[in-house]
Amino acid sequence: MNRALYLIREALVNLRRNALVVTGAVLAVFVSMALALGALMVNELVRVNILQWEEGVHVIVFLKDSRDGITDAAQLELQRDIETWPQVESTVYFDKNDAFQEFKQLFADRPELLEEIEPSRLPASIRIRLKDIETYRDVQFQLAGKAPVRRVVSLGERIDQLAGLSRVLNGLGLGAAVVLGISAVILIANTIRMAIYARRDEVGIMKLVGAGNWFVRIPFLLEGLIEGVVGAGLAVMAVWLASARLAGAEGTIEIIRLVLPPGFFVRWGVLFVLFGAAAGVLGSLVGLRRFLKV
């Protein structure tokens, strides 16, 4: 017990003696872990939203009306035709009054818009739910040229754009995290080397009086471990706080879900802290290898 307390105390002394360099190492771990966890958070939000959107309406067909020479019967005939397509699971017809009620819900906080819009100015539409959202291009192609069709809006296009943006952001975030992670290991190694150099006389005396190699090494390994755990822990906390701020803003963006599934930060937080600890120990081993011949 006394030996363990001595080793921990020596590690804390080393941290205090090299506070500036230790701070740099902790910040390097913090930034790299925060970027990596942030990229994972973005990827998880994209996945959650894609799953949510896949369960709703996938294609909206805005229809021409009597001003364009299209009758209500022609609109309903198009709906019946669409329902026979193999890609389609179900359809819902929204007339002008339904569109106006939806408009009022979407812009309830903008009364000036409600005063300017008349139901007759809003187009009727057909809302299509697909069996597989990846077939949205086939449905768009079949709708092209249909007489009652004014415009087609597909959620599949939004999902493709969001997934593409997510891949770019994840690639950049994870790439930067790898570079900064290597930098963190190097900084921790340099911190350990400086600590060993500052205590070279003491280390030499300890070895002369019979101290074992691991008795000398453990305080330095603990130092790197603490640096890695603190940096990773701060990164998890920072990303969690950012996620909480995003979740608080969810009500202001109707179509995007900003709440992560329960347990996301528990699962990934533990893994990232363990990874930070491993990076700290690795940095310590690199530093020890040159000076103590590990």
Side-chain angles (χ1 to χ4, degrees), residues 50 52 75 78 88 93 112 127 148 173 175 193 227 236 238 242-243 257 265 275 279 281:
I50 288 175
Q52 178 182 344
Q75 294 176 348
L78 176 62
V88 175
Y93 177 74
E112 68 278 7
R127 313 295 174 90
R193 287 174 182 174
E227 292 171 1
V236 172
S243 172
R257 186 178 179 188
F265 278 103
F275 186 82
V281 171

Side-chain angles (χ1 to χ4, degrees), residues 46 49-50 52-60 128-130 132-140 152-165 167:
V46 170
N49 280 281
I50 288 175
Q52 178 182 344
W53 292 343
E54 284 182 344
E55 296 175 357
V57 173
H58 303 139
V59 179
I60 301 178
I128 303 173
R129 182 173 180 178
L130 303 175
D132 183 353
I133 195 171
E134 294 183 0
T135 62
Y136 76 92
R137 291 188 180 87
D138 296 335
V139 172
Q140 284 182 307
V152 178
V153 176
S154 172
L155 190 61
E157 295 173 348
R158 307 296 187 273
I159 290 177
D160 288 346
Q161 293 170 358
L162 189 60
L165 177 61
R167 285 192 292 270

Side-chain angles (χ1 to χ4, degrees), residues 6-27 29 184 187-196 198-199 202 217-231 280-281 283-284:
Y6 170 79
L7 294 174
I8 295 172
R9 185 171 64 251
E10 288 299 302
L12 296 176
V13 168
N14 289 343
L15 291 171
R16 187 175 66 251
R17 285 176 176 174
N18 302 287
L20 187 60
V21 182
V22 168
T23 301
V26 169
L27 286 176
V29 175
L187 273 172
I188 291 172
N190 286 334
T191 304
I192 300 304
R193 287 174 182 174
M194 290 181 65
I196 296 172
R199 300 180 61 198
E202 182 181 344
R217 294 166 184 158
I218 286 176
F220 299 108
L221 291 174
L222 287 176
E223 181 181 346
L225 177 69
I226 292 170
E227 292 171 1
V229 168
V230 170
V281 171
S284 299

Side-chain angles (χ1 to χ4, degrees), residues 62-65 68-70 74 78 142-150:
F62 292 103
L63 304 171
K64 298 177 182 177
D65 51 31
D68 306 296
I70 301 297
L78 176 62
Q142 289 178 262
L143 288 167
K146 297 284 185 182
V149 175
R150 182 185 302 275

Side-chain angles (χ1 to χ4, degrees), residues 34-85:
L35 284 172
L37 186 56
L40 283 172
M41 183 184 75
V42 170
N43 186 67
E44 183 67 10
L45 286 174
V46 170
R47 188 187 70 84
V48 167
N49 280 281
I50 288 175
L51 289 176
Q52 178 182 344
W53 292 343
E54 284 182 344
E55 296 175 357
V57 173
H58 303 139
V59 179
I60 301 178
V61 186
F62 292 103
L63 304 171
K64 298 177 182 177
D65 51 31
S66 56
R67 291 172 297 182
D68 306 296
I70 301 297
T71 63
D72 293 347
Q75 294 176 348
L76 295 173
E77 178 62 30
L78 176 62
Q79 181 191 12
R80 287 191 290 269
D81 182 31
I82 292 171
E83 288 180 339
T84 64
W85 297 353

